[in-house]
Amino acid sequence: MGSVFWTLFASTLAVAHVFDLSELQWTLKNQNGSIVVPGSLPSQAHLDLFEAGIIDDPLLGINEFTERWVINDNWTYTADLTPFTQTYQSNTSGKTLLIFYGIDTIANITFAGHPVAWVNNQFRRYTYDISDYLSSSPGENNLTIALESAWYYGLNVTMRPDAEYFPNTPIVSTSDNYEYPNVRAWIRKINDDFGWDWGPAFVPSGIYKPAYLLRMLRHAPVTSSSILLDETSLDIYKYGQNASVAPDQFADWIINVTFAVRSIKSFEKPTITLSISELKLTSEPLSPGPIPANADENIYLWYPIDLGNPKLYNLTVTLDPSLGQGDWPSAEPITQTITTGFRTIQLLQTPYSEEEITSRGITPGDQWHFAINGKAFYSKGTNIIPFDPFYSRIKPEAVRWVLESAVKSGQNMLRVWGGGIYQPSDAATDGGLYSFYSLCDELGILVWSELIFSDSLFPINDFLLEHPSNIQWAGGNEIEDIVMAANASLANGTHYLDEFVYMFQHYLHDIVLSETNSVPYTDCSTTRGVLSLDPYVLRFANGTPGYIYGNTERYNYNVSEAFDLTTYPVGRFVNEFGFHSMPSFYSWKEVLENPEDYAFNSSVVMSRDHHPPAGNLSWPNPNAPQGQYQMTAAVELWFPTPGTSDSNQTFAQWCWSTQLFQSMNMVAEIAWYRRGAGLGENNLGSLVWQLNDIWQGVSWSAIEYSGRWKVLQYGLATVYSPIIINPFWFPGNESLTILATSDRWETVNALRPRHSPSPTLNNSLIYEGTGLDAILPHGYNAKDVWLLMNVTATVDNKLVISESYFTPVSLAYSNLVDPQIAVIAGENYTFTLSAKGGVGAWMWLDHPSGTVGYFLDPMTGLPSNGYYLIPGIDRTVQFISSVELATVQSPDPAHFVVRSLWNNTHI
């Protein structure tokens, strides 16, 4: 049994007929009229120009540069309204609304010759009453959206005499510039549209989400199909819970439903009935206000997929607008079903108690971790960037593939980065086009969400809700450290600090908390934490030396320190860390156009390396050699340097080797952070930068633009296993420690090593030794040996296997032996691999061009690729294809390619 309280907030009702503006015939033209082509909706100028043959695919070759002229022009979408006006009947008692779910970004809207609005925010929905324009048309019968170049608009704003100045000095950068400089802080638009170090700068413009005309009629019959629920939001929390008050897990649940519908006529006595059939829970007809109801069934809580069942319920909202009033007919009820779950989320930021410091050995300072339903847990995940440079062409099946891949690799949390887009609830809500939060609800993935402010100070100008998966709102990305540096180094630094406090400590904080009691707020992705939650006061530099506060991140491109554990941060939570790599040879085939392009440092390949960013419009990126060198140095220091008589194989091995280094580096870091759960830092979170890709180029991703898994994605599947085993090598004193680490809430007894217990959120010591001579097998050289570690356990009635490797010297200097790998293809794309010679170091199986999928071990059902293939221990894997994404459905098994480090230097 449990108690549920309904809290309702409602506006008035609408009787509406909907006309989809995509049904109109659109044209797109540039400012001087020299280009006029068919347009579409939703769309963006680049896509319609590509469809018309004016430009080539923007992602091909160097088109990011050659098609810059599109960004510099102004573009106008125009449609003849006749298909709508032919069915329109003038009715002074009715209203017509023009609704845009998303315009990108700076635009003038004109309806039938009448100016409607000037808009400047990509993230807003716009609704206008254009009734009077229909009855007083000046003769023109067009709908026009005239889009201004966001780049030139931004430049114009920065030249205003009242525009605030944000200096960049050798000591501090108050605005990180990537490609189109100095403008993104002035435009409410996707930040990375102007370029980032992992993606292109297309600065698109267009009507990128659906748009509609709505006719609301006073005297029309009221039916369920004609009443529009304009907006609905839901917040589920425990009675008394808010951002500064921890939820009482035994308190009653509060279901707060907020919805709005538009109306030409007010209905005096609407009623609402809410029900959850699975709980046998139905309210009486309600008017706004809290009314209690009792559930006859137990409420099963929603958990992330690795910790339980992401249980969802269907909440049905039945709205009865009227029982009939005077001459008015009775209205038929309308029904909306919202899929949701019951859970509590906390972001714990208060100081550790003296008792915890003493009894658990916790390093003094503040907590910084999440709790689900009252239990602390280890956050395992990655960061999400936009799925495509052009939102209007994102494929729902591609998004599902990325999210399902996260689950397959053991992740329970994704961070929606604050420089991209507000991800949609689902395909139908607010013009979403694809599902994100609702899919995370279904799959059991927690989502760290951010408001779209990133890597810059922002001017103070005038100028989102409940899913069980949504774990917090952060005000922005990586801004706190920027303002702290400005405050410390600029003469007027306190001015920028005061602006930051106003926006991120007060303004955005208050907005978020006014909308939700269940989801916490923090000012930035990387933060020093808080001095107080109520009132909300940021800590900044106010701390005690030696104490640990807030969370942290790590980016270190000195590859000689890649596996130096003493350089890894010791923190409560690591929300960003990464290293870049090349996409695979197969992804390069999607965009490279000439044979000479297939080389690691070809001009086209280097033009798609934006790390470090140019900081301006210089092309090709003058800093790309630095990013290329970092990858080159990593491969040369840690692996045999790729070089064979086959230039394509050499290029493919280079690409794969950068991915292998990326994976090894990230796996080592994650193991270190997970180890910290049982140490003084009590580390309870690691989120790798980044999960997905926005194009085919150099990036930090684990999954390529097409959906192909990189080596890192398989590495995550290993190191994000519930139970892992890993070596920790300190070359300074030649000490080796091997630990088994568990993120379970219960003690797990491993089957191998035999009966080795793994305590809750802690480590088990498997081996400890000092001195390389003592560690090595007697009589063997360090270049000739390697160590295999694996742990096998049963978790949640499933077999869990984790495997890792240790080599006492770099594989660049190890004495590798030809593994003579034999492959036998079986039914349903199964492959049995055998090493007939030496050990196949990091054996890798590639699927052919046009295929999307992953390899799994058919015995365990777990992802399996990128491992040491040992003579006498064969491996069988099966390729599981994504039918929705693959362009080749039945690949020839002979086209699957086997590679290992041996192939860096041998055909």
Side-chain angles (χ1 to χ4, degrees), residues 246-404:
D248 177 355
Q249 299 299 326
F250 299 98
D252 292 329
W253 290 100
I254 304 294
I255 300 179
N256 186 335
V257 182
T258 304
F259 63 91
V261 287
R262 294 184 177 267
S263 178
I264 188 65
K265 172 191 179 295
S266 105
F267 294 86
E268 297 177 2
K269 298 180 180 179
T271 60
I272 302 98
T273 303
L274 306 178
S275 64
I276 303 175
S277 61
E278 192 171 343
L279 297 176
K280 300 180 181 177
L281 181 63
T282 302
S283 74
E284 297 296 326
L286 307 174
S287 3
I291 300 176
N294 289 323
D296 292 331
E297 301 290 331
N298 289 327
I299 296 175
Y300 294 98
L301 300 180
W302 186 98
Y303 283 96
I305 189 63
D306 67 324
L307 296 175
N309 178 25
K311 174 63 179 176
L312 296 174
Y313 292 95
N314 289 326
L315 171 63
T316 300
V317 181
T318 302
L319 183 115
D320 190 347
S322 171
L323 299 177
Q325 302 170 30
D327 295 332
W328 295 94
S330 294
E332 294 181 10
I334 60 172
T335 298
Q336 181 181 20
T337 298
I338 305 167
T339 301
T340 188
F342 292 84
R343 60 89 182 98
T344 63
I345 286 293
Q346 295 168 266
L347 172 57
L348 291 93
Q349 301 181 77
T350 54
Y352 280 100
S353 67
E354 287 298 326
E355 191 278 331
E356 288 178 297
I357 293 171
T358 302
S359 65
R360 297 176 56 195
I362 301 292
T363 303
D366 292 347
Q367 305 174 80
W368 211 101
H369 62 263
F370 296 97
I372 180 86
N373 300 320
K375 295 182 179 180
F377 67 97
Y378 198 93
S379 301
K380 304 180 296 186
T382 50
N383 290 259
I384 283 278
I385 63 171
F387 295 96
D388 197 279
F390 304 100
Y391 181 97
S392 58
R393 74 172 183 186
I394 294 175
K395 299 177 181 178
E397 57 271 23
V399 176
R400 174 174 279 274
W401 173 255
V402 170
L403 298 186
E404 289 180 341

Side-chain angles (χ1 to χ4, degrees), residues 145-342:
I145 298 91
L147 296 150
E148 182 179 351
S149 164
W151 163 232
Y152 285 141
Y153 167 82
L155 290 178
N156 290 336
V157 171
T158 61
M159 290 186 285
R160 287 172 53 112
D162 58 347
E164 188 170 0
Y165 174 59
F166 293 102
N168 283 345
T169 73
I171 300 176
V172 60
S173 294
T174 59
S175 178
D176 281 353
N177 292 313
Y178 291 87
E179 197 158 330
Y180 285 82
N182 304 320
V183 299
R184 61 185 176 85
W186 297 94
I187 307 175
R188 296 305 296 139
K189 178 173 172 58
I190 294 173
N191 284 200
D192 67 81
D193 280 352
F194 298 96
W196 220 264
D197 52 2
W198 37 254
F202 289 113
V203 198
S205 61
I207 312 164
Y208 75 106
K209 287 186 175 183
Y212 302 93
L213 282 163
L214 271 68
R215 287 284 294 137
M216 298 194 302
L217 306 176
R218 180 179 291 273
H219 296 292
V222 184
T223 65
S224 60
S225 63
S226 63
I227 296 177
L228 176 70
L229 277 177
D230 192 35
E231 183 177 337
T232 305
S233 63
L234 176 67
D235 197 22
I236 298 179
Y237 53 94
K238 288 290 189 175
Y239 180 80
Q241 176 188 353
N242 60 43
S244 59
V245 178
D248 177 355
Q249 299 299 326
F250 299 98
D252 292 329
W253 290 100
I254 304 294
I255 300 179
N256 186 335
V257 182
T258 304
F259 63 91
V261 287
R262 294 184 177 267
S263 178
I264 188 65
K265 172 191 179 295
S266 105
F267 294 86
E268 297 177 2
K269 298 180 180 179
T271 60
I272 302 98
T273 303
L274 306 178
S275 64
I276 303 175
S277 61
E278 192 171 343
L279 297 176
K280 300 180 181 177
L281 181 63
T282 302
S283 74
E284 297 296 326
L286 307 174
S287 3
I291 300 176
N294 289 323
D296 292 331
E297 301 290 331
N298 289 327
I299 296 175
Y300 294 98
L301 300 180
W302 186 98
Y303 283 96
I305 189 63
D306 67 324
L307 296 175
N309 178 25
K311 174 63 179 176
L312 296 174
Y313 292 95
N314 289 326
L315 171 63
T316 300
V317 181
T318 302
L319 183 115
D320 190 347
S322 171
L323 299 177
Q325 302 170 30
D327 295 332
W328 295 94
S330 294
E332 294 181 10
I334 60 172
T335 298
Q336 181 181 20
T337 298
I338 305 167
T339 301
T340 188
F342 292 84

Side-chain angles (χ1 to χ4, degrees), residues 367-448:
Q367 305 174 80
W368 211 101
H369 62 263
F370 296 97
I372 180 86
N373 300 320
K375 295 182 179 180
F377 67 97
Y378 198 93
S379 301
K380 304 180 296 186
T382 50
N383 290 259
I384 283 278
I385 63 171
F387 295 96
D388 197 279
F390 304 100
Y391 181 97
S392 58
R393 74 172 183 186
I394 294 175
K395 299 177 181 178
E397 57 271 23
V399 176
R400 174 174 279 274
W401 173 255
V402 170
L403 298 186
E404 289 180 341
S405 295
V407 172
K408 288 179 174 68
S409 60
Q411 300 180 49
N412 63 21
M413 184 180 293
L414 298 175
R415 173 180 163 233
V416 178
W417 171 68
I421 188 74
Y422 291 104
Q423 293 292 347
S425 172
D426 55 65
T429 301
D430 219 33
L433 298 182
Y434 62 90
S435 294
F436 185 81
Y437 285 99
S438 61
L439 191 51
C440 290
D441 294 346
E442 169 196 331
L443 296 174
I445 306 173
L446 290 161
V447 182
W448 165 331

Side-chain angles (χ1 to χ4, degrees), residues 519-811:
V519 180
Y521 171 88
T522 190
D523 69 308
C524 272
S525 57
T526 306
T527 177
R528 308 292 177 91
V530 298
L531 290 172
S532 168
L533 287 172
D534 188 13
Y536 186 72
V537 180
L538 297 171
R539 177 175 293 280
F540 294 119
N542 299 298
T544 302
Y547 283 35
I548 300 177
Y549 303 103
N551 57 24
T552 189
E553 59 183 58
R554 180 187 191 264
Y555 291 99
N556 186 341
Y557 300 107
N558 179 355
V559 297
S560 67
E561 297 179 347
F563 306 103
D564 182 348
L565 305 182
T566 65
T567 68
Y568 292 0
V570 175
R572 308 291 194 203
F573 196 110
V574 189
N575 61 280
E576 276 195 44
F577 56 101
F579 200 96
H580 51 303
S581 68
M582 286 276 188
S584 67
F585 182 87
Y586 301 100
S587 282
W588 282 121
K589 287 180 68 175
E590 298 167 9
V591 294
L592 299 183
E593 301 175 279
N594 301 298
E596 61 269 21
D597 296 336
Y598 288 82
F600 192 81
N601 289 317
S602 73
S603 59
V604 178
V605 167
M606 289 186 67
S607 76
R608 299 172 79 94
D609 185 347
H610 289 195
H611 167 71
N616 52 51
L617 292 175
S618 299
W619 192 93
N621 176 16
N623 297 323
Q626 184 177 342
Q628 295 288 108
Y629 169 75
Q630 291 164 353
M631 292 186 291
T632 301
V635 172
E636 292 178 342
L637 182 61
W638 296 103
F639 308 132
T641 300
T644 71
S645 58
D646 185 322
S647 62
N648 276 353
Q649 177 183 321
T650 298
F651 180 49
Q653 291 295 130
W654 266 109
C655 294
W656 174 74
S657 295
T658 66
Q659 292 189 15
L660 178 57
F661 172 81
Q662 176 195 34
S663 179
M664 290 175 61
N665 189 191
M666 294 305 97
V667 166
E669 286 198 46
I670 293 169
W672 173 263
Y673 303 140
R674 288 190 62 177
R675 164 186 177 270
L679 302 179
E681 61 265 36
N682 193 31
N683 182 299
L684 290 179
S686 57
L687 305 180
V688 174
W689 186 271
Q690 67 206 55
L691 178 59
N692 61 313
D693 237 333
I694 198 170
W695 74 332
Q696 305 93 332
V698 174
S699 84
W700 288 248
S701 75
I703 300 175
E704 298 178 15
Y705 177 73
S706 67
R708 180 183 292 269
W709 287 20
K710 286 185 175 180
V711 181
L712 173 57
Q713 180 66 6
Y714 289 97
L716 294 177
T718 297
V719 76
Y720 277 154
S721 176
I723 309 291
I724 58 173
I725 188 168
N726 284 94
F728 299 93
W729 169 247
F730 295 88
N733 64 356
E734 293 189 341
S735 68
L736 176 66
T737 300
I738 300 174
L739 297 178
T741 303
S742 170
D743 67 8
R744 298 294 88 187
W745 282 330
E746 67 283 342
T747 298
V748 176
N749 287 312
L751 305 177
R752 187 175 59 189
R754 184 177 299 275
H755 306 306
S756 175
S758 293
T760 62
L761 285 171
N762 213 323
N763 306 299
S764 296
L765 179 64
I766 305 300
Y767 172 85
E768 195 168 32
T770 303
L772 189 57
D773 290 341
I775 295 170
L776 292 177
H778 181 69
Y780 280 85
N781 188 293
K783 296 181 180 181
D784 295 320
V785 299
W786 62 284
L787 178 65
L788 168 67
M789 295 152 283
N790 56 42
V791 61
T792 303
T794 301
V795 177
D796 299 330
N797 297 318
K798 296 178 182 177
L799 187 66
V800 172
I801 299 175
S802 177
E803 186 169 284
S804 63
Y805 318 104
F806 170 69
T807 55
V809 300
S810 163
L811 287 165

